[in-house]
């Protein structure tokens, strides 16, 4: 460390001397060079008694972990031995038994996002304990195993992307409008915090400037890169949805907005086209209704929507939309929720607040999707598109010609939501993307002026299926199942088979959201640092679940099994048979009534961050 400090002092001294002799522009360029960071892509993991080391080809320093003191820092000399190849470092997390180094062991190539920078998907990882064996009580070991299971659940999601040469956290338009001070930052420093999913896990490594090249930003979302052909011309079609980690969570446990204006299921979707050196992109956003509301699972098929903190609803709406304006410019806030049933109260509140024109540059449109498109009247979506076309044309899109000159930029977005920001939202975002894409392909010369994308073309199939896959991916991350109404996104037609598939998916969602999502919520909160294990406080995971959550399902299972057994193996007399069957049915009916009464305890509730935060809010 002393040698490194001396080297840094000499470098700064030389820069100060140059200030007297070199023009300001050259000084800025020199500063940029001294700080510029690259990401290492040829890494090796070395483990030995007393240390864990990660080295990289061309790096002056290595990551060194002292497994005796648990300290993490740079090391200037490489360890002996060949080591084993890894693809990157995901970060470090502290768990009850020991800290763990998370490394990416396998990757799958997705393709070049900008024509040359390759994007990879994380397809394998490993958790390396700092200390292999440590004396600890059995309860601590069991608690550590619970944390590991949650962490493995989140890391095993097939949705993490990274690139060694391209900043995936920003849109192409943002990256085209940066100065030298931005370029001089490390990849972790310059990354958009909303989309850098391993920022918390990288904190112990990022603090060391010498290790900047190991700090690989990882994005969570859905990404596809496809080479397509249309009208005899070839181009790249990229669809990239970045999931915002602020207010991250699953369907029924994280809804609406928080005090900072962050909303649940907030996703930025960028559609990129590349052809003959030209590049165009367009951004859509989605996010939960930006009010204070909840819809907690309680065994019922569709829980009631509950508005709370009503006196501050207008404030949180304004706070969220101010965020949107700062990030994207003008906004059209499109609400697709029902004006009846369980969505009625929040719909009326949202319409009232959104329709007041509280912020310049924000337009509010309500389109009751289910009402307008009921009975297969999907052509009514043209009513909504007619309301959007003028603003979409005004907002334009990002376009850079073959000479590298930016000829147009996007000045606003459509911010869409339904109650889940999934199924209805997917349909509308796909229609918007197709409308803008047609204009982009005309400008690139792929289509003639006034031409439309042929509905019989191969690209039509690719476009619809990529958008359907995108919707399915976002839906899996939020609800645990693929999206509904995806048959319309894939084919442009709503079918009876699609309705049957949606019924099956809805049943899957019911099971997932009531009995499996508490664990998924906890896994998200551990990964992004919403919950951080502390040895000085009792972990919520150490507390047992309510006894009724174990007893009631077990009792129902036992009596259903007894009823089936009695039906398969009748007794000698009918009176005895009927009396036993009647008794079992009566007990089962009684137990199911108890299920409704104890629904909140039977649901797989999250046990960490969001359970405590939600209880405090409500």
């Amino acid at each position: 460390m002393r040698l490194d400090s001396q080297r840094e002092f000499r470098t700064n001294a030389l820069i100060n001397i140059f200030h007297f002799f070199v023009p300001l522009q050259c000084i800025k360029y020199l500063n940029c060079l001294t700080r510029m960071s690259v990401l290492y892509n040829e890494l090796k993991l070395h483990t030995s008694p007393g240390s864990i080391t990660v080295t990289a080809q061309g790096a002056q320093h290595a990551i060194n972990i002292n497994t005796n003191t648990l300290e993490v820092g740079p090391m200037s000399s490489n360890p002996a031995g060949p080591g084993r190849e890894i693809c990157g470092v995901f970060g470090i997390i502290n768990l009850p038994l020991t800290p763990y180094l998370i490394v990416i062991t396998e990757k799958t190539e997705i393709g070049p996002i900008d024509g040359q920078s390759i994007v990879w998907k994380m397809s394998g990882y490993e958790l390396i304990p700092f200390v292999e064996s440590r004396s600890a009580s059995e309860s601590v070991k069991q608690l550590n195993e619970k944390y590991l299971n949650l962490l493995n659940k989140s890391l095993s999601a097939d949705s993490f992307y990274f690139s060694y040469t391209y900043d995936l956290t920003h849109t192409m338009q943002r990256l085209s409008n940066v100065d030298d001070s931005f370029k001089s930052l490390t990849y972790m420093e310059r990354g958009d915090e909303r989309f850098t999913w391993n920022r918390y896990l990288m904190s112990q490594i990022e603090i060391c400037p010498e290790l900047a090249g190991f700090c690989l930003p990882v994005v969570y979302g859905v990404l596809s890169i496809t080479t397509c052909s249309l009208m005899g011309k070839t181009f790249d079609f990229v669809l990239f949805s970045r999931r915002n980690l602020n207010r991250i969570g699953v369907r029924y446990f994280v809804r609406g907005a928080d005090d900072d204006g962050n909303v649940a299921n907030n996703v930025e979707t960028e559609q990129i086209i590349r052809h003959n050196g030209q590049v165009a992109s367009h951004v859509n956003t989605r996010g939960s209704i930006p009010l204070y509301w909840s819809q907690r699972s309680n065994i019922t098929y569709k829980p009631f929507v509950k508005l709370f903190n009503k006196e501050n609803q207008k404030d949180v709406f304004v706070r969220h939309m101010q965020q949107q304006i700062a990030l994207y410019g003008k906004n059209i806030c499109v609400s697709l929720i029902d004006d009846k049933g369980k969505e009625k109260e929040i719909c009326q509140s949202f319409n009232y607040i959104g329709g007041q024109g509280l912020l310049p540059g924000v337009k509010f449109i309500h389109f009751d999707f289910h009402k307008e498109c009921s009975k297969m009247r999907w052509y009514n979506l043209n009513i909504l598109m007619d309301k959007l076309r003028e603003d979409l044309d005004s907002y334009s899109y990002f376009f850079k010609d073959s000479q590298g000159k930016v000829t147009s930029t996007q000045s606003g977005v459509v911010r869409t939501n339904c109650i889940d920001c999934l199924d209805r939202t997917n349909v509308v975002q796909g229609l918007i993307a197709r409308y803008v894409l047609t204009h982009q392909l005309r400008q690139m010369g792929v289509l003639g002026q006034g031409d439309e994308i042929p509905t019989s073309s191969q690209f039509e199939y690719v476009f619809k299926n990529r958008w359907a896959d995108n919707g399915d991916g976002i839906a899996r991350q939020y609800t645990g199942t693929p999206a509904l109404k995806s048959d319309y996104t894939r084919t442009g037609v709503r079918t009876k088979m699609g309705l049957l598939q949606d019924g099956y998916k809805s049943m899957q969602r019911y099971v997932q959201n009531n009995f499996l999502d508490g664990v998924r919520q906890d896994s998200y909160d551990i990964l992004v640092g919403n919950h951080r294990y502390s040895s000085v406080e009792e972990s919520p995971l150490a507390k047992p679940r309510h006894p009724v959550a174990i007893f009631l399902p077990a009792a129902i299972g036992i009596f259903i099994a007894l009823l089936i057994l009695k039906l398969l193996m009748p007794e000698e007399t009918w009176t005895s048979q009927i009396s036993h069957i009647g008794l079992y049915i009566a007990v089962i009916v009684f137990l199911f009534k108890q299920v409704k009464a104890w629904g909140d305890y039977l649901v797989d509730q999250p046990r960490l961050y969001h359970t405590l935060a939600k209880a405090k809010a409500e």
Side-chain angles (χ1 to χ4, degrees):
M1 290 296 292
R2 185 178 301 170
L3 290 174
D4 296 335
S5 299
Q6 292 174 351
R7 186 180 295 111
E8 182 178 357
F9 173 81
R10 288 195 297 270
T11 302
N12 291 334
L14 286 171
I15 292 175
N16 289 330
I17 293 172
F18 270 112
H19 272 274
F20 290 96
F21 302 104
V22 185
L24 181 61
Q25 292 83 356
C26 295
I27 293 172
K28 288 182 178 180
Y29 180 69
L30 179 62
N31 285 334
C32 176
L33 287 179
T34 57
R35 297 197 63 216
M36 186 171 291
S37 166
V38 295
L39 292 174
Y40 305 129
N41 60 1
E42 296 182 21
L43 288 77
K44 289 188 177 181
L45 176 69
H46 306 259
T47 56
S48 62
S51 70
I52 300 171
T53 308
V54 179
T55 62
Q57 181 71 33
Q60 294 183 348
H61 295 85
I63 300 175
N64 183 63
I65 298 169
N66 187 319
T67 57
N68 295 316
T69 64
L70 305 185
E71 293 180 347
V72 180
M75 183 175 72
S76 56
S77 60
N78 288 339
R84 59 187 177 98
E85 294 183 359
I86 60 173
C87 306
V89 176
F90 201 99
I92 294 172
I93 189 167
N94 295 314
L95 297 186
L97 202 57
T98 176
Y100 286 80
L101 173 68
I102 308 171
V103 296
I104 302 171
T105 57
E106 296 179 41
K107 61 185 179 182
T108 302
E109 183 175 339
I110 302 300
I113 192 169
D114 62 348
Q116 50 189 334
S117 298
I118 302 298
V119 179
W120 304 90
K121 178 189 285 188
M122 184 176 82
S123 52
Y125 68 93
E126 188 173 338
L127 296 165
I128 313 294
F130 282 21
V131 180
E132 284 290 351
S133 59
R134 194 175 189 179
S135 58
S137 65
E138 191 62 31
S139 61
V140 172
K141 292 179 181 179
Q142 291 176 359
L143 182 61
N144 192 78
E145 192 64 27
K146 290 179 180 179
Y147 274 96
L148 281 177
N149 290 338
L150 290 172
L151 189 59
N152 279 313
K153 189 169 189 64
S154 56
L155 288 172
S156 60
D158 189 30
S159 306
F160 291 104
Y161 301 90
F162 61 91
S163 174
Y164 302 111
T165 55
Y166 187 88
D167 188 345
L168 293 176
T169 67
H170 292 288
T171 64
M172 286 201 160
Q173 178 164 313
R174 293 191 204 112
L175 291 175
S176 72
N177 189 33
V178 296
D179 55 18
D180 287 343
S181 62
F182 176 87
K183 296 176 182 177
S184 70
L185 299 174
T186 67
Y187 274 84
M188 192 60 71
E189 289 174 330
R190 74 175 72 163
D192 190 325
E193 292 188 1
R194 297 175 299 154
F195 306 124
T196 309
W197 272 66
N198 60 334
R199 178 172 295 277
Y200 155 64
L201 297 176
M202 273 293 181
S203 58
Q204 294 185 62
I205 301 174
E206 186 187 7
I207 199 172
C208 304
E210 303 92 336
L211 303 180
F214 293 95
C215 297
L216 177 70
V218 178
V219 176
Y220 185 57
V222 185
L223 172 61
S224 63
I225 302 175
T226 311
T227 300
C228 306
S229 179
L230 180 64
M231 312 298 285
K233 299 179 177 66
T234 302
F235 56 92
D236 291 332
F237 177 69
V238 181
L239 191 57
F240 189 11
S241 286
R242 304 172 178 92
R243 180 172 289 279
N244 190 337
L245 60 85
N246 295 323
R247 196 158 175 75
I248 189 61
V250 297
R251 188 187 188 194
Y252 284 141
F253 295 127
V254 183
R255 295 291 217 188
D258 63 17
D259 292 338
D260 296 321
N262 301 309
V263 296
N265 199 24
N266 191 203
V267 180
E268 174 189 271
T269 299
E270 182 178 17
Q271 180 177 267
I272 303 169
I273 304 294
R274 299 188 60 84
H275 172 65
N276 283 351
Q278 305 171 95
V279 61
S281 84
H282 183 260
V283 173
N284 270 309
T285 67
R286 73 176 73 196
S288 191
I289 299 165
L291 302 176
Y292 290 116
W293 64 284
S294 63
Q295 193 180 18
R296 303 289 282 184
S297 298
N298 60 359
I299 299 298
T300 60
Y301 177 71
K302 191 174 183 180
F304 276 99
V305 173
K306 178 183 178 182
L307 292 168
F308 60 93
N309 201 6
K310 295 183 181 181
E311 65 277 7
N312 295 319
Q313 295 287 22
K314 187 182 296 185
D315 294 338
V316 76
F317 171 82
V318 169
R319 202 169 296 126
H320 173 72
M321 295 314 301
Q322 285 174 335
Q323 281 185 7
Q324 288 285 110
I325 292 170
L327 290 165
Y328 303 106
K330 295 179 180 179
N331 273 251
I332 306 176
C333 188
V334 176
S335 170
L336 305 172
I337 56 180
D338 299 346
D339 195 12
K340 64 178 183 179
K342 294 182 178 180
E343 298 180 13
K344 181 177 180 178
E345 183 183 9
I346 192 171
C347 178
Q348 291 178 343
S349 180
F350 193 26
N351 288 354
Y352 172 72
I353 294 172
Q356 291 187 42
L358 298 172
L359 293 169
V362 176
K363 179 182 289 189
F364 183 85
I365 296 176
H366 176 241
F367 181 82
D368 191 330
F369 188 102
H370 286 148
K371 177 182 176 181
E372 297 290 345
C373 299
S374 63
K375 300 178 181 178
M376 300 293 188
R377 295 179 300 166
W378 291 76
Y379 51 80
N380 279 343
L381 287 167
N382 290 324
I383 298 173
L384 175 60
M385 288 303 299
D386 288 341
K387 294 179 180 180
L388 296 176
R389 283 191 179 91
E390 183 178 349
D391 288 303
L392 286 172
D393 292 340
S394 172
Y395 293 171
S396 189
Y397 47 82
F398 174 76
F399 193 93
K400 185 165 63 175
D401 64 22
S402 58
Q403 306 303 313
K405 181 181 178 181
V406 176
T407 60
S408 68
T409 56
Q410 185 176 346
S411 61
V413 298
V414 178
R415 184 231 184 267
T416 315
N417 68 259
C418 47
I419 203 72
D420 293 322
C421 304
L422 295 176
D423 313 317
R424 290 168 273 184
T425 296
N426 291 333
V427 172
V428 171
Q429 283 199 344
L431 292 175
I432 293 169
R434 181 188 175 86
Y435 176 79
V436 175
L437 175 64
T438 302
H439 289 272
Q440 293 172 333
L441 292 176
R442 289 172 183 169
Q443 186 171 352
M444 287 183 171
V446 176
L447 291 176
Q449 294 304 313
D451 288 349
E452 301 289 336
I453 299 172
T455 56
S456 60
S457 64
Q458 180 66 20
F459 176 67
E460 173 81 357
Y461 173 84
V462 171
F463 173 82
K464 288 180 175 178
N465 278 275
R466 289 296 175 268
W467 266 97
D469 293 342
N470 178 75
D472 283 346
I474 295 172
R476 284 192 185 95
Q477 292 162 11
Y478 194 47
T479 71
T481 74
L484 308 183
K485 302 176 179 65
S486 59
D487 59 321
Y488 182 84
T489 310
R490 292 186 189 278
T491 65
V493 179
R494 193 71 165 117
T495 63
K496 292 181 180 179
M497 180 57 69
L499 290 172
L500 290 174
Q501 291 174 342
D502 284 355
Y504 175 67
K505 292 174 188 175
S506 296
M507 288 190 292
Q508 284 183 304
R509 282 187 184 181
Y510 173 79
V511 174
Q512 176 74 48
N513 299 161
N514 281 280
F515 306 114
L516 303 172
D517 267 359
V519 170
R520 285 208 307 138
Q521 180 64 58
D522 287 339
S523 72
Y524 276 135
D525 287 330
I526 288 175
L527 183 69
V528 302
N530 288 338
H531 171 81
R532 306 181 185 188
Y533 171 74
S534 172
S535 59
V536 299
E537 297 178 1
E538 184 183 17
S539 170
L541 293 181
K543 301 176 182 178
R545 293 189 67 190
H546 195 283
V548 75
I550 301 172
F551 167 76
L552 200 51
I556 291 173
I558 290 171
F559 277 94
I560 288 177
L562 289 173
L563 176 61
I564 294 173
L565 188 64
K566 186 59 61 179
L567 291 172
L568 294 176
M569 301 176 63
E571 297 191 19
E572 295 181 0
T573 63
W574 276 105
T575 54
S576 177
Q577 176 78 359
I578 292 173
S579 62
H580 278 98
I581 290 176
L583 174 63
Y584 295 154
I585 291 176
V587 172
I588 292 170
V589 169
F590 170 78
L591 290 174
F592 270 107
K593 286 183 178 180
Q594 298 307 305
V595 165
K596 186 175 181 180
W598 294 87
D600 289 341
Y601 294 95
L602 294 173
V603 168
D604 178 34
Q605 300 280 357
R607 306 175 70 183
L608 303 177
Y609 174 78
H610 277 284
T611 297
L612 305 177
K614 183 66 71 174
K616 183 179 179 181
E618 299 180 19

